[in-house]
Amino acid sequence: MYVNVVFPIPQNQHFTYSIPIEFQDAVQPGSRALVSFLKETRTGYIIGLCDNPPSGIKIKPIIDLLDTTPVMSGSLLNLARWVSEYYMCSLGEAIRAFLPAGMQKQSKKFLELADEIELKYLSIIQRKIITTVRQYENIQLSSLKKIIGTKAIYYNVARLVEAGAIRLVEKLVGQKDYIRKEKFVKLASNPESVDLEKLARRSPKQAEMLRVLKECGGVEQLTVLCKLANCSSQIARGLEKKALIEIFDRVIMQDYYGDLNVPQATRLVLNAEQKRAVSQINQSILARENKTFLLLGVTGSGKTQVYIEVMRQALEMGKGAIVMVPEIALTPQTVSRFRSEFQNEVTVIHSRMSQSERYFAWSLVREGKCRVVVGPRSAVFAPIKNLGLIVVDEEHDTSYKQSENSPRYHGRDLAVVRGVSENAVVILGSATPSLESFHNAQTGKYALVELKKRIDDIPLPKVTVVDLARQRLAGTRKSDVIISRLLMQKIAEKLERNEQVILLQNRRGFSTTVQCSHCGEVSACPNCNISLSYHRQGNIMRCHYCNFAQKLPDRCGACQRTSLLHRGVGTQQVQEFLHDHFKDARIVRMDQDTTRRKYAHDKILTDFGNHKYDILLGTQMIAKGLDFEKVTLVGVISADTGLFLPDFRANERTFQLLTQVAGRAGRKNGQGEVIIQTLVPQHPCLQLSRTHDYYKFAAMEFAERRSLQYPPGGRLVLLHFIDENENRALQAARKFAFLLTELRRPFKIVGPAPAALSKLKNRYRFHLVIKGNKRTDPGAKIVREAIKKCLQVFAADGSDLNRVQIRVDIDPMLIL
């Protein structure tokens, strides 16, 4: 018997291994196996049995089988195959995305000291190697190379191995035992039969520990018991020897949100629109049919309660559910809301959790102990049994798209595909749906369900657009206006009434650019084609792409003048401005700089919800999904931040951001107010966000995109050509464009051209855009086959062009 195995590597091919007799009854597709691959021992994924092994080559046997039951069900394995095919990645890379991080075992080379050797006979590099190995005792070869920092490392290690000075040892590293266990103590006999007074005379500390254990109900964690009884664990060992107690291991629940304040569940009365929505969706759940619904509801219309009601129906039928949210910041509120209804059925999976916590949550879901999973885009891979419902909240959000690593999937689209494969209902919810989803609803692919009114008929917030250009002309200060007089006045009013304010500025740091006013020189990142942002804390300039940092200089690097100016406003500068003008106000800032630590998102939002702060200032992470009843004013410091980016979705993203953040105002206590500051007040995007007119905006955008063959009227594929050598990257892009043109397929090729961010992390970037026709190529199969043929030509090319990294991004969300 033989099996086909794949690895999480870019090459999309499988490898055949034989099955030893002891594993023949246990091997199943979806299991992991330890095998020999490229002179290493690695973890591979079994994707199927093989009746006809390749001839003419020596087939190696499986070394070990890591799973008694498959880690991937048949349906998930088929979904991984679809991901591999559609998003053009290897099957191994697709499978890796479905599993928690850290499930890969692999042999690594380690160095150990062997015999002592006199250092005076060695070269300088060899002395450094010996000294480093002695210091660390046991060091991985790759780590040694980073420390020594020389290209001659392998040669000198080989010489030292030959001389018998060091040993090269292979060790298996990778998956740990993520199941956390703690020592517990329980009474071993009838507690009434123990004479505590007699025991106290002989061993008072043992008697005290036994007394405390009885008060704790007979079972307690060992460390807690020792603390309560003021005794050491040795006292417990003495009681165990006397057979008075038993010490045992218990698996500890690793719940990331174990300390979350979960409110008492209250059955809310649905309004007429919500009842219609729930009834319509429940019909498909009861019929056990796959159907995708677009729930288009204005901000504050009660979409979350609709999710809860239809989920209640799915769980009553013995089905499971996935709830996807775009931001980790939204997770605590969502988890709290769903746990109040479904208690321990709900678990969470996201990237801020430790590997141990993620693995534990994944295991609970896989074993069927939790039937509801909440999390960002990776939650779509959760191994829910008998999946009946997938909810994608704020489905328009670009964070659902994985753009950096392979597979470059879109969580929303994958949710729809998984719904089809598992016969589940899918709900895409948003107040400002993506134009692709809205188009699918208009053409009948999705069912449109609308919530046009807010709960309790609370009116939508009143939006005022402020022209910053006029404010600057009318102002008395020489500096740029950060906050207009109208917004300042409104903030003061709300603070006086003990109400709360949310302010959005979608740029972190103090200033976005440091520029010399004399010669115009801009401080730029040496690794990227982008300016450095200034951060007041630490007085440093930082690149937000490669994280390069340097101290703010006293003089211009070009002309040596001291005339440095800060251009562009970041959240730090706004916070400083607010502190200067509202000295008694309690202000909290929420951006990537303040939320690096674990639980930082949760703490900021919880404290703001408890009114420990008056003003919440932040980037786009505060713009959606949050619900605070005392927030009556929302201010947008600069609405133009993303409006003029070189991307065809710039208008759509700006409209969505403004509409979403405006929806945070006045959700409970009457009409809220929104102040939007801009330099282009007559821009259609801003005017339509002022009137909350999504339908008119969608019609306007449809008309423009249809003429240019942009989604949803067409389909895009973005090819990145990335290399340290600028000319080589350009030549590779040109050759690829030529090969695509020679195929004469029904699609349009745009480029190649330098990317908007033409250099990142010391690597040059060129783009090639393919515009496909949805009518002639609805599933992009023709485009994908053409790309595959060109990639094969590149792989066979003997020139140095095949060194250029080529990334394929199907349905890209950002073209930067």
Side-chain angles (χ1 to χ4, degrees):
M1 293 178 65
Y2 302 89
V3 288
N4 290 329
V5 175
V6 296
F7 300 93
I9 57 177
Q11 287 73 30
N12 194 18
Q13 63 183 111
H14 64 258
F15 302 86
T16 304
Y17 291 84
S18 63
I19 308 174
I21 294 174
E22 62 266 32
F23 300 139
Q24 287 191 359
D25 293 333
V27 166
Q28 297 181 61
S31 299
R32 296 171 303 148
L34 212 56
V35 297
S36 178
F37 182 72
L38 296 178
K39 298 182 180 181
E40 291 183 345
T41 302
R42 297 189 65 170
T43 300
Y45 310 119
I46 299 173
I47 59 170
L49 301 178
C50 175
D51 295 326
N52 300 307
S55 59
I57 61 171
K58 183 181 178 181
I59 297 179
K60 300 175 183 178
I62 288 175
I63 297 172
D64 199 358
L65 195 62
L66 298 179
D67 306 301
T68 53
T69 57
V71 293
M72 293 274 289
S73 65
S75 61
L76 289 182
L77 198 55
N78 288 334
L79 186 61
R81 289 190 175 97
W82 184 90
V83 170
S84 170
E85 176 66 25
Y86 185 77
Y87 290 107
M88 299 190 68
C89 65
S90 74
L91 181 54
E93 288 176 314
I95 292 174
R96 179 179 58 188
F98 282 72
L99 302 176
M103 291 186 71
Q104 299 292 315
K105 287 190 175 183
Q106 186 173 352
S107 62
K108 297 287 185 181
K109 290 183 172 63
F110 286 80
L111 298 176
E112 298 176 349
L113 281 180
D115 298 328
E116 285 294 331
I117 190 170
E118 291 190 41
L119 296 182
K120 64 182 181 181
Y121 296 114
L122 302 178
S123 67
I124 296 174
I125 295 173
Q126 290 171 350
R127 289 178 191 177
K128 285 183 180 180
I129 292 172
I130 291 291
T131 304
T132 306
V133 173
R134 182 181 290 130
Q135 179 185 348
Y136 288 92
E137 295 184 0
N138 190 316
I139 187 170
Q140 197 171 322
L141 183 57
S142 58
S143 301
L144 179 71
K145 185 178 179 182
K146 290 179 182 178
I147 295 170
I148 301 298
T150 174
K151 293 181 180 178
I153 186 75
Y154 296 111
Y155 170 81
N156 286 288
V157 165
R159 298 289 75 78
L160 290 171
V161 171
E162 288 175 4
I166 59 175
R167 285 190 296 266
L168 204 56
V169 181
E170 281 203 359
K171 294 184 180 181
L172 205 60
V173 298
Q175 183 182 352
K176 303 173 184 177
D177 183 6
Y178 289 129
I179 303 301
R180 182 181 159 198
K181 296 178 181 179
E182 293 284 354
K183 296 289 183 184
F184 274 75
V185 178
K186 70 176 180 179
L187 291 170
S189 59
N190 184 357
E192 304 302 328
S193 65
V194 180
D195 189 343
L196 284 178
E197 292 184 5
K198 184 177 179 181
L199 182 63
R201 287 193 294 270
R202 294 181 180 178
S203 179
K205 289 190 176 182
Q206 287 186 352
E208 175 64 11
M209 179 171 278
L210 210 59
R211 183 189 66 78
V212 172
L213 183 59
K214 286 182 179 181
E215 290 180 355
C216 293
V219 180
E220 187 53 84
Q221 193 173 339
L222 178 59
T223 54
V224 175
L225 181 63
C226 290
K227 189 173 182 180
L228 292 173
N230 196 24
C231 300
S232 70
S233 59
Q234 293 301 317
I235 303 300
R237 301 295 178 192
L239 287 170
E240 186 181 35
K241 287 180 181 178
K242 293 179 180 179
L244 295 177
I245 65 170
E246 288 181 15
I247 300 176
F248 62 98
D249 289 330
R250 177 183 286 180
V251 175
I252 301 297
M253 290 284 290
Q254 298 182 65
D255 188 352
Y256 185 87
Y257 288 114
D259 298 329
L260 189 67
N261 182 28
V262 178
Q264 189 72 28
T266 54
R267 200 69 180 265
L268 300 177
V269 178
L270 303 181
N271 62 28
E273 285 187 334
Q274 287 175 310
K275 287 179 181 177
R276 280 196 298 271
V278 170
S279 174
Q280 191 173 342
I281 298 169
N282 273 348
Q283 286 179 15
S284 293
I285 292 177
L286 290 167
R288 302 177 187 273
E289 66 176 1
N290 163 249
K291 197 168 186 178
T292 299
F293 294 87
L294 177 61
L295 182 60
L296 200 170
V298 298
T299 55
S301 59
K303 293 186 290 294
T304 303
Q305 194 59 36
V306 172
Y307 304 152
I308 288 172
E309 295 302 325
V310 297
M311 187 176 295
R312 197 190 313 279
Q313 180 64 62
L315 294 179
E316 286 175 2
M317 296 172 63
K319 294 181 174 291
I322 294 172
V323 181
M324 297 168 63
V325 292
E327 292 279 356
I328 293 173
L330 299 181
T331 311
Q333 277 201 350
T334 308
V335 172
S336 176
R337 187 83 179 268
F338 280 88
R339 276 195 176 165
S340 70
E341 299 287 343
F342 308 116
Q343 292 77 45
N344 293 332
E345 291 278 14
V346 181
T347 190
V348 60
I349 296 176
H350 63 62
S351 59
R352 287 296 177 99
M353 300 166 71
S354 67
Q355 286 191 3
S356 177
E357 289 167 334
R358 291 189 76 177
Y359 181 82
F360 195 82
W362 177 83
S363 298
L364 289 178
V365 175
R366 183 183 169 215
E367 293 163 8
K369 294 178 181 177
C370 289
R371 294 189 294 159
V372 178
V373 172
V374 178
R377 61 176 177 245
S378 59
V380 74
F381 301 121
I384 291 279
K385 293 184 177 180
N386 195 19
L387 182 63
L389 176 68
I390 305 176
V391 173
V392 185
D393 195 25
E394 310 294 357
E395 65 85 33
H396 64 274
D397 201 278
T398 55
S399 65
Y400 283 123
K401 172 68 173 178
Q402 166 67 277
S403 299
E404 291 300 316
N405 302 317
S406 187
R408 295 176 183 86
Y409 67 93
H410 198 301
R412 175 200 65 212
D413 298 344
L414 196 51
V416 174
V417 174
R418 187 170 182 188
V420 173
S421 67
E422 305 223 19
N423 206 35
V425 168
V426 180
I427 304 175
L428 311 178
S430 177
T432 54
S434 64
L435 292 187
E436 289 87 343
S437 294
F438 188 57
H439 177 72
N440 285 335
Q442 287 187 318
T443 56
K445 187 175 180 180
Y446 300 161
L448 180 62
V449 180
E450 295 177 279
L451 301 176
K452 297 182 178 181
K453 297 180 180 179
R454 281 185 155 191
I455 296 295
D456 298 329
D457 289 329
I458 292 175
L460 287 167
K462 179 185 176 183
V463 181
T464 304
V465 177
V466 173
D467 186 351
L468 278 181
R470 287 194 171 191
Q471 287 283 319
R472 288 175 180 174
L473 290 172
T476 58
R477 292 177 303 159
K478 292 182 179 179
S479 61
D480 289 347
V481 172
I482 295 178
I483 298 180
S484 63
R485 285 173 293 178
L486 177 61
L487 183 53
M488 291 284 286
Q489 176 189 333
K490 290 294 181 181
I491 292 173
E493 286 179 11
K494 302 305 179 185
L495 294 177
E496 190 175 340
R497 295 177 191 169
N498 200 32
E499 295 169 354
Q500 290 179 293
V501 179
I502 288 179
L503 296 177
L504 170 73
Q505 173 62 2
N506 205 18
R507 284 289 183 270
R508 63 188 175 102
F510 184 85
S511 62
T512 56
T513 304
V514 177
Q515 186 177 29
C516 176
S517 62
H518 179 75
C519 69
E521 179 76 10
V522 173
S523 298
C525 174
N527 308 317
C528 308
N529 186 20
I530 194 168
S531 62
L532 293 171
S533 296
Y534 173 62
H535 291 248
R536 178 63 62 90
Q537 187 175 2
N539 196 37
I540 60 172
M541 297 187 296
R542 186 181 298 279
C543 175
H544 290 168
Y545 287 88
C546 72
N547 214 31
F548 169 83
Q550 68 179 37
K551 285 284 185 181
L552 179 71
D554 297 326
R555 300 173 179 274
C556 170
C559 68
Q560 298 303 309
R561 301 288 183 98
T562 57
S563 51
L564 296 179
L565 297 177
H566 296 284
R567 304 288 192 191
V569 178
T571 50
Q572 289 180 9
Q573 190 172 165
V574 177
Q575 185 179 24
E576 191 173 290
F577 183 91
L578 291 169
H579 277 304
D580 290 343
H581 290 79
F582 301 100
K583 297 187 183 300
D584 296 329
R586 298 166 297 175
I587 304 164
V588 64
R589 176 165 54 90
M590 188 170 177
D591 55 27
Q592 199 170 327
D593 297 323
T594 62
T595 56
R596 294 185 188 279
R597 292 186 178 182
K598 194 173 183 180
Y599 304 120
H601 291 95
D602 316 348
K603 187 175 188 324
I604 290 173
L605 294 178
T606 300
D607 288 348
F608 186 70
N610 293 331
H611 208 162
K612 292 183 180 179
Y613 298 104
D614 303 306
I615 300 174
L616 173 62
L617 164 69
T619 54
Q620 52 83 29
M621 62 175 67
I622 67 167
K624 46 192 173 284
L626 302 178
D627 189 354
F628 299 109
E629 63 178 60
K630 289 188 177 181
V631 173
T632 56
L633 173 67
V634 166
V636 181
I637 306 300
S638 174
D640 313 333
T641 303
L643 193 57
F644 298 107
L645 289 175
D647 190 287
F648 73 93
R649 285 194 176 92
N651 283 353
E652 181 183 5
R653 278 195 293 271
T654 300
F655 176 83
Q656 290 167 340
L657 184 65
L658 296 179
T659 304
Q660 290 289 336
V661 74
R664 303 312 108 206
R667 296 173 69 91
K668 293 289 190 298
N669 303 312
Q671 188 176 33
E673 294 182 84
V674 180
I675 308 293
I676 297 177
Q677 301 185 158
T678 177
L679 291 168
V680 284
Q682 297 307 315
H683 195 287
C685 178
L686 301 182
Q687 288 300 316
L688 291 173
S689 64
R690 183 177 63 84
T691 56
H692 311 281
D693 197 339
Y694 171 80
Y695 296 93
K696 190 172 181 179
F697 171 80
M700 178 187 72
E701 279 292 295
F702 273 144
E704 286 190 15
R705 294 192 190 179
R706 192 177 294 113
S707 62
L708 298 170
Q709 276 190 282
Y710 281 130
R715 184 183 298 280
L716 292 186
V717 177
L718 177 63
L719 299 172
H720 306 251
F721 297 85
I722 306 170
D723 197 81
E724 295 173 355
N725 184 293
E726 184 177 13
N727 184 60
R728 187 164 54 213
L730 175 58
Q731 293 306 316
R734 285 175 174 170
K735 180 179 178 181
F736 209 98
F738 173 76
L739 292 172
L740 285 171
T741 305
E742 288 292 294
L743 292 175
R744 301 184 185 278
R745 296 290 189 269
F747 48 71
K748 185 178 179 181
I749 303 167
V750 181
L757 300 173
S758 59
K759 183 185 178 186
L760 289 180
K761 301 178 182 178
N762 272 326
R763 304 178 79 193
Y764 295 92
R765 306 164 75 244
F766 287 86
H767 281 175
L768 193 64
V769 177
I770 303 175
K771 291 184 177 182
N773 191 313
K774 280 193 171 182
R775 293 180 180 177
T776 58
D777 187 18
K781 189 174 182 180
I782 295 174
V783 173
R784 286 185 283 113
E785 288 297 328
I787 293 173
K788 284 180 184 177
K789 287 183 179 180
C790 295
L791 289 173
Q792 289 169 359
V793 173
F794 260 73
D797 190 341
S799 70
D800 64 348
L801 290 185
N802 61 11
R803 294 167 54 186
V804 175
Q805 182 185 2
I806 303 175
R807 291 183 186 174
V808 182
D809 193 354
I810 307 291
D811 303 329
M813 293 301 294
L814 287 170
I815 305 181
L816 294 176

